[in-house]
Amino acid sequence: MTLQKRQGQRFLPYGANYLNWSDMHELQQVIEQSVLFRYQTESESMASRLERTVGERLGAEHVLAVHNCTEALRLALVSTRPAVGDVVYIPAVTFVAVAGAVLSTGLIPVPVDVDETLALDTSLLPADARRVIVAHMEGAVAPLPATVPFVIEDAAQALGARFPDGRHVGTRGYAGAFSFHHNKVLTSGEGGLLVTNDRAAWEEMRCYHDHGSARKPGRYPTWNEDAYYGENLVTSEEVAAIQLQQFRHLDEVLAGLERHYRIASQELPDRSDIALVPRSPGDVKISLRLRLANRELRDTAVERLTAQGIANWTLGKYFLPEHPVLAGRRSLYADGFPWNLAGAVPRALTRDGFARTRSLLDRTLCVPLSPELSEQQQATAAKLLRRTLETM
Ligand SMILES: *Cc1c(COP(=O)(O)O)cnc(C)c1O
């Protein structure tokens, strides 16, 4: 496929740009062996190879492939053995999948206000908090609370990002969840990974994800004495094959994003009413985050960029306290489960009723970066961005 055609699809970027028949060795191998079920044979499956590769690359002891990141979050939550109605603190600014994972596990999500970088403000957490999901949004490394027993890192948008100490996001909390949805750093259409350094937790996750059984590859499942019910979250060989192919390009994707970020951030117009929200060195640079003086200017920028064919997005869609599911405490259960268990649980933790967060979101504009472009093409794109912002 030519680059030009791909540029027409710029809204769905990153790993999808690296899908190419001549590069699909793992997928070819799976098809040649005619085995699509990961536990069919005793030899190492493609799914196990994926888990081993990811563990080595990210420095995680245990990895489990599942169908998507929402499942990974749910599985991480269940493995903490909560009681129904327990509270899980989540960021006020994140994808609704986080709230869905909490609710569908019978738990109550409590949105916590965010800081200037739009990461969960850990200083608002109560001293007795037991479970929190921290999201590394748009590749931006978020701080983790120090004293909460179960910190689950939602790294759906941040595969490859690193904390200042060099460790990968997703590997420092109790568990980390990654997504291979089409719009993430790497993609297999749908796909998810759960990582943990806690061996006992991983064993429980593995059983739960396969009908509660401790299956031995190539053999019929056996049920432990202490078995409990589970679900089927087992991935397929062909999906794992595509994920392995994608993984081979991770460093290239990250380097391409890094270079485009450097070029584009140097090319920004010198205006006091448009600022670049700083990123830390370990972030995955999936976008330039611009902060404008006011909402009107931001909306004008959206108009101008869109008219020029420059992809862009805003973050209002991530503001969970105004999402109908949270605002209306909605559920498909007749008795409103699990909201009916919320009792006196606070609806949110915020200092100012989210006034500052709303203002930040209203003034923020993100411009995605394009790792697959050459340096020359990235420079051209950065100049067009600059000229477009200068016209306002
Ligand atoms: C995409 C995303 C998810 C959900 O991932 P799926 O693989 O689509 O289930 C969860 N959290 C965040 C922050 C996301 O961006």
Side-chain angles (χ1 to χ4, degrees):
M1 207 185 282
T2 66
L3 186 61
Q4 240 162 5
K5 178 144 183 234
R6 293 205 162 177
Q7 275 183 296
Q9 305 171 338
R10 282 297 331 147
F11 267 112
L12 300 168
Y14 316 131
N17 291 291
Y18 296 79
L19 289 171
N20 189 319
W21 271 122
S22 65
D23 191 45
M24 309 306 284
H25 318 306
E26 296 87 355
L27 184 58
Q28 192 153 13
Q29 192 184 326
V30 163
I31 302 298
E32 276 164 11
Q33 289 174 353
S34 298
V35 174
L36 301 183
F37 176 50
R38 74 168 292 181
Y39 295 125
Q40 188 75 22
T41 60
E42 285 182 40
S43 55
E44 188 183 49
S45 64
M46 205 50 86
S48 298
R49 203 169 119 197
L50 170 75
E51 291 165 351
R52 181 167 52 78
T53 305
V54 172
E56 286 165 7
R57 176 66 174 74
L58 300 186
E61 308 244 341
H62 308 287
V63 183
L64 190 65
V66 293
H67 297 123
N68 55 60
C69 177
T70 311
E71 259 177 24
L73 291 170
R74 253 168 22 81
L75 189 49
L77 286 167
V78 185
S79 75
T80 68
R81 296 188 171 240
V84 288
D86 276 354
V87 164
V88 181
Y89 297 98
I90 66 171
V93 177
T94 190
F95 186 42
V96 71
V98 177
V102 173
L103 288 160
S104 59
T105 319
L107 307 175
I108 310 296
V110 174
V112 179
D113 215 343
V114 295
D115 62 19
E116 288 284 318
T117 70
L118 304 178
L120 182 143
D121 184 345
T122 57
S123 72
L124 291 173
L125 292 170
D128 64 352
R130 287 196 48 75
R131 294 178 181 81
V132 60
I133 298 177
V134 171
H136 305 288
M137 297 298 284
E138 298 213 315
V141 178
L144 306 185
T147 55
V148 179
F150 298 111
V151 176
I152 297 168
E153 293 181 62
D154 178 345
Q157 303 186 4
L159 178 62
R162 289 170 184 268
F163 289 102
D165 68 4
R167 282 190 284 172
H168 277 277
V169 300
T171 67
R172 269 186 54 193
Y174 162 75
F178 295 89
S179 174
F180 283 88
H181 177 73
H182 193 58
N183 212 6
K184 312 290 179 173
V185 178
L186 300 180
T187 184
S188 52
E190 299 280 2
L193 292 172
L194 184 55
V195 309
T196 183
N197 293 324
D198 182 329
R199 169 135 203 124
W202 175 76
E203 277 169 4
E204 293 208 328
M205 291 166 181
R206 195 172 92 82
C207 284
Y208 188 92
H209 111 295
D210 191 14
H211 305 290
S213 78
R215 194 191 296 256
K216 299 236 175 356
R219 307 222 211 117
Y220 197 74
T222 48
W223 276 269
N224 321 343
E225 287 291 304
D226 58 350
Y228 37 84
Y229 71 83
E231 298 179 58
N232 179 2
L233 316 180
V234 177
T235 195
S236 294
E237 290 290 90
E238 73 277 18
V239 175
I242 293 176
Q243 291 166 343
L244 268 166
Q245 179 267 348
Q246 292 277 293
F247 237 85
R248 282 196 276 110
H249 295 284
L250 179 60
D251 288 327
E252 229 174 295
V253 173
L254 297 177
L257 289 169
E258 195 72 42
R259 189 184 59 198
H260 196 179
Y261 181 79
R262 200 179 59 242
I263 293 171
S265 53
Q266 284 163 4
E267 214 29 93
L268 285 176
D270 189 15
R271 291 177 66 137
S272 58
D273 53 3
I274 304 180
L276 181 64
V277 180
R279 279 186 170 281
S280 69
D283 283 10
V284 175
K285 312 297 192 303
I286 71 164
S287 64
L288 281 184
R289 283 172 149 188
L290 302 176
R291 185 133 316 136
L292 293 93
N294 53 58
R295 182 173 184 148
E296 292 66 42
L297 189 65
R298 196 278 309 268
D299 291 345
T300 306
V302 168
E303 235 169 71
R304 299 281 165 93
L305 295 184
T306 306
Q308 282 297 325
I310 300 173
N312 65 87
W313 62 67
T314 56
L315 300 177
K317 62 184 181 235
Y318 288 136
F319 186 52
L320 291 187
E322 284 178 2
H323 190 286
V325 166
L326 283 99
R329 296 203 150 175
R330 298 221 187 130
S331 162
L332 280 180
Y333 285 89
D335 61 359
F337 174 85
W339 292 113
N340 57 337
L341 305 168
V345 170
R347 292 185 88 101
L349 301 182
T350 171
R351 285 201 193 88
D352 60 358
F354 295 113
R356 189 198 46 149
T357 296
R358 273 197 200 86
S359 159
L360 287 174
L361 292 175
D362 282 350
R363 294 183 289 115
T364 305
L365 171 63
C366 304
V367 179
L369 299 168
S370 309
E372 79 284 5
L373 297 183
S374 69
E375 186 164 357
Q376 191 60 51
Q377 291 166 324
Q378 289 177 339
T380 305
K383 287 201 167 63
L384 179 62
L385 174 64
R386 178 192 183 119
R387 280 200 305 275
T388 308
L389 293 173
E390 276 171 352
T391 63
M392 298 196 304

